[in-house]
Amino acid sequence: MPLIEIEKLTKVYDDGTIKTPVLHGVSFTIDRGEFVAIMGPSGSGKSTLLHLLGFLDDYTDGVYRFNGEEARDYTGDEVAHIRNKKLGFIFQSFNLLPNTTVLENVKLPLLYSEIPEREWNDRAMTAIRSVGLEHRATFDSSKLSGGERQRVAIARALVVEPEVIFADEPTGNLDSKSGDAVIGILQKLNKESGHTIILITHETDTAEHADRIIRIKDGTLESDTKVAQPHRAGSGTLHK
């Protein structure tokens, strides 16, 4: 059974006067443990698709099954549990709290979890070590480099031990060396820890680090292909 299955998924934004179609009947499946890149130019609908798959927005028509269940059949509490426990999100803009330490940023998702507070520091430090930033745990996150801040964002996504990690243009604000390190971490999370990775990007070189590329153009699925030999990124750090 696929982890994610969508059939003829559509999304139309309606502000009451103007309807703007964004996705037009997109269909595909993603299995557990896959590393999939969803690729397309700006305005293609790929980020909208991420928001639908991540339960951050509702679709207009079609079918979305997560773990074999239709997304609209989940209760509000069940959706909150999925978002807080099963899904992790990494965004291009990092979305870290300013004037707050690395440790405090990584602990943030635990505030909304069922994990006892006494375990928060240990869990956060485990996630921080997994991205090689234990020496920065007490640093103000705003004083870190872009690459370090993105690694903090990855650690924050990992702290609840999610099943799926959504990475929306995670290298967009980084230099090539830092971007390569971030992609290396995602590859290791996939290969060594079995996380399902869904990477949103407009860059071919970034997409080719995945095992499979789904190309979206003008809100439709243009192609869905396996990558024969995924690029292997460099200096990602992951301690099991």
Side-chain angles (χ1 to χ4, degrees), residues 195-206:
H195 288 81
T196 303
I197 308 291
I198 300 175
L199 171 68
I200 306 295
T201 184
H202 67 278
E203 299 171 339
T204 300
D205 286 348
T206 300

Side-chain angles (χ1 to χ4, degrees), residues 1 11 22 38 46 54 58 116 118 127 132 151 174 194 210 216 224:
M1 179 181 68
K11 177 64 178 178
V22 180
I38 297 176
K46 60 187 185 299
D58 193 14
R118 64 180 179 274
R151 283 193 277 164
L174 305 179
I216 303 292
D224 183 349

Side-chain angles (χ1 to χ4, degrees), residues 29 131 138 196:
T29 63
V131 298
T138 59
T196 303

Side-chain angles (χ1 to χ4, degrees), residues 121-165:
N121 275 2
D122 286 346
R123 279 181 173 259
M125 284 306 302
T126 296
I128 290 167
R129 279 192 293 272
S130 78
V131 298
L133 283 180
E134 59 268 33
H135 61 298
R136 294 281 196 256
T138 59
F139 277 52
D140 187 322
S141 59
S142 62
K143 292 181 169 59
L144 302 179
S145 69
E148 287 175 328
R149 278 183 279 171
Q150 192 59 291
R151 283 193 277 164
V152 174
I154 294 173
R156 184 182 56 193
L158 289 175
V159 75
V160 294
E161 300 177 358
E163 188 171 356
V164 185
I165 295 175

Side-chain angles (χ1 to χ4, degrees), residues 59-197:
Y59 48 97
T60 303
D61 203 358
V63 174
Y64 172 29
R65 297 186 186 93
F66 182 84
N67 254 341
E69 296 290 335
E70 167 61 48
R72 285 177 171 165
D73 289 342
Y74 286 111
T75 67
D77 288 344
E78 287 171 336
V79 168
H81 176 78
I82 290 169
R83 278 201 303 251
N84 294 335
K85 178 61 180 175
K86 294 185 178 293
L87 310 179
F89 296 91
I90 304 162
F91 296 101
Q92 178 178 350
S93 57
F94 317 131
N95 291 346
L96 302 182
L97 294 177
N99 305 314
T100 306
T101 68
V102 168
L103 179 62
E104 290 167 330
N105 266 287
V106 174
K107 283 165 57 175
L108 185 62
L110 298 173
L111 295 172
Y112 310 99
S113 74
E114 299 171 358
I115 297 166
E117 188 172 355
R118 64 180 179 274
E119 297 180 19
W120 290 0
N121 275 2
D122 286 346
R123 279 181 173 259
M125 284 306 302
T126 296
I128 290 167
R129 279 192 293 272
S130 78
V131 298
L133 283 180
E134 59 268 33
H135 61 298
R136 294 281 196 256
T138 59
F139 277 52
D140 187 322
S141 59
S142 62
K143 292 181 169 59
L144 302 179
S145 69
E148 287 175 328
R149 278 183 279 171
Q150 192 59 291
R151 283 193 277 164
V152 174
I154 294 173
R156 184 182 56 193
L158 289 175
V159 75
V160 294
E161 300 177 358
E163 188 171 356
V164 185
I165 295 175
F166 292 99
D168 191 2
E169 302 279 7
T171 63
N173 286 332
L174 305 179
D175 59 67
S176 59
K177 183 178 179 180
S178 297
D180 195 50
V182 165
I183 292 297
I185 291 171
L186 294 177
Q187 285 181 321
K188 288 186 176 183
L189 288 169
N190 174 248
K191 298 304 180 187
E192 298 182 12
S193 301
H195 288 81
T196 303
I197 308 291

